[in-house]
Amino acid sequence: MSTTAFSQSWVDTSLYPFENKYLRLEAGNVHYVDEGKGDIILFVHGTPTWSFLYRDFIKELSKENRCIALDHLGFGLSDKPDSATGTPEWHSDNLSEFIKKLDLQNITLIVHDFGGPIGLAAGIKNSERIKRVVLFNSWFWATDQRKDAEKINKIANSWFGKFMYLNMNFSVKVLLKKGFANKKNLSKEVHQQYINPFPDKNSRIPLLNLAKALVGSSDWYQKQWEQLDLLSDKEWLILWGTEDAFITMDNLEKWQKRLSNSKTKEFDCGHFVQEEATEASIKEITNFMNK
């Protein structure tokens, strides 16, 4: 297997001041940060982000907890496997291996976007290791009947979509920005930290793979949803951006209906609650863990 590890020289250590650690998985070397001591919080990102998304959460929550945040293979500072399916199923298997190799227990699992299906499916496989779940805007069920998902699926599987994703870095340069309700909340410096992991066409294949998997993995999502009972009795906190252009309010309603004992906090922001409602969502997690 051939992998490419990118230089870390582009990382702004004033924004992301953590020690870089690596764990060898079957599919490649995964980069992660492991800060603080105490109860374990495991942060799982989606696309096109990396563990940088949770930088402020790690800085604050690691004062009283052990905060672990990995970069999925193909993202952030992790290896970029030349040939990998790059599906949520594949990423979830990698995450499950990561959890077992570090022997993580009593985990507060924090997930977002594609990190929802990836993290929750790994959580189902390791349900005895999960104590709590914090859910940011995400989904965990069949997508093939959703018109919004089908629209994205057609683009992702077209020659035009492939060109935009691989040649124009469309996911990071355009879609990420669209995910902010207030574009002023995305500074040039922060945006650059999301752009840098994807400098060329090959490095952007993982982004295209997940875009195709929005509907391509629909059956798998549904199978996981049907096994959610393995996690539904845990403590759940839902932190939701109500102005999300991608994962809309009907998704929140579906979560609330399934997780009747969960607590929900809504924020007047877009898809990236972590960037637009940082302090407020950190406070909610702190209260949730200390109750």
Side-chain angles (χ1 to χ4, degrees):
M1 180 195 69
S2 173
T3 63
T4 305
F6 285 101
S7 165
Q8 298 171 7
S9 60
W10 53 262
V11 176
D12 185 338
T13 54
S14 68
L15 294 173
Y16 189 81
F18 310 120
E19 178 186 352
N20 297 307
K21 298 193 173 188
Y22 287 86
L23 183 67
R24 179 70 186 178
L25 302 182
E26 284 187 27
N29 287 313
V30 163
H31 166 266
Y32 69 103
V33 297
D34 188 342
E35 300 279 325
K37 295 179 179 179
D39 289 351
I40 292 173
I41 305 177
L42 178 61
F43 298 89
V44 186
H45 70 84
T47 185
T49 58
W50 55 292
S51 55
F52 180 80
L53 177 70
Y54 295 111
R55 64 196 179 280
D56 292 325
F57 291 72
I58 297 166
K59 290 173 192 173
E60 184 61 33
L61 295 171
S62 64
K63 293 174 182 177
E64 296 182 356
N65 304 278
R66 181 183 174 194
C67 292
I68 300 173
L70 81 163
D71 299 336
H72 301 308
L73 288 170
F75 291 78
L77 299 173
S78 289
D79 280 353
K80 320 289 183 187
D82 284 346
S83 56
T85 62
T87 61
E89 302 96 297
W90 181 77
H91 286 298
S92 186
D93 286 344
N94 294 334
L95 177 59
S96 184
E97 184 185 351
F98 178 87
I99 290 170
K100 289 173 181 174
K101 281 199 168 181
L102 290 184
D103 193 24
L104 304 181
Q105 305 283 350
N106 296 316
I107 300 167
T108 296
L109 182 65
I110 300 186
V111 300
H112 174 241
D113 186 79
F114 268 95
I118 292 167
L120 294 175
I124 286 170
K125 282 185 180 178
N126 300 276
S127 59
E128 74 285 354
R129 298 174 182 263
I130 307 300
K131 185 176 182 179
R132 308 180 190 89
V133 181
V134 179
L135 174 79
F136 287 98
N137 298 45
S138 188
W139 77 98
F140 202 41
W141 45 77
T143 51
D144 57 358
Q145 299 299 316
R146 292 186 62 94
K147 290 182 179 179
D148 51 353
E150 276 294 347
K151 186 177 178 181
I152 295 170
N153 186 55
K154 284 184 179 179
I155 294 170
N157 283 284
S158 69
W159 70 266
F160 177 71
K162 183 177 180 180
F163 176 84
M164 292 297 287
Y165 267 80
L166 301 185
N167 293 71
M168 307 303 291
N169 209 3
F170 181 70
S171 182
V172 195
K173 290 190 174 179
V174 178
L175 293 182
L176 184 138
K177 192 180 291 186
K178 186 180 178 183
F180 283 71
N182 183 351
K183 305 301 184 283
K184 292 180 180 178
N185 287 327
L186 179 62
S187 69
K188 287 184 179 180
E189 293 78 14
V190 167
H191 196 189
Q192 194 61 47
Q193 293 298 296
Y194 288 120
I195 292 170
N196 285 340
F198 308 105
D200 55 38
K201 287 172 65 175
N202 282 343
S203 68
R204 298 165 193 162
I205 291 172
L207 301 172
L208 180 62
N209 284 339
L210 280 185
K212 289 180 176 180
L214 179 60
V215 170
S217 294
S218 180
D219 289 347
W220 179 77
Y221 302 139
Q222 187 62 30
K223 286 178 182 176
Q224 305 311 308
W225 179 244
E226 290 165 4
Q227 299 178 69
L228 190 64
D229 285 350
L230 289 168
L231 293 179
S232 58
D233 62 341
K234 312 291 184 181
E235 300 171 46
W236 283 73
L237 172 65
I238 302 174
L239 302 177
W240 201 270
T242 60
E243 298 176 46
D244 192 337
F246 306 116
I247 303 177
T248 48
M249 291 295 287
D250 60 311
N251 293 279
L252 172 59
E253 292 167 8
K254 187 157 185 168
W255 282 114
Q256 290 173 324
K257 188 175 180 180
R258 179 68 183 268
L259 303 168
S260 57
N261 295 323
S262 63
K263 179 194 174 185
T264 301
K265 177 66 177 179
E266 297 179 8
F267 300 97
D268 295 328
C269 66
H271 182 65
F272 299 100
V273 180
Q274 300 92 330
E275 295 282 6
E276 292 201 85
T278 310
E279 291 182 9
S281 48
I282 290 172
K283 183 179 179 181
E284 289 294 332
I285 293 171
T286 301
N287 292 340
F288 176 57
M289 295 191 67
N290 291 336
K291 71 176 184 179

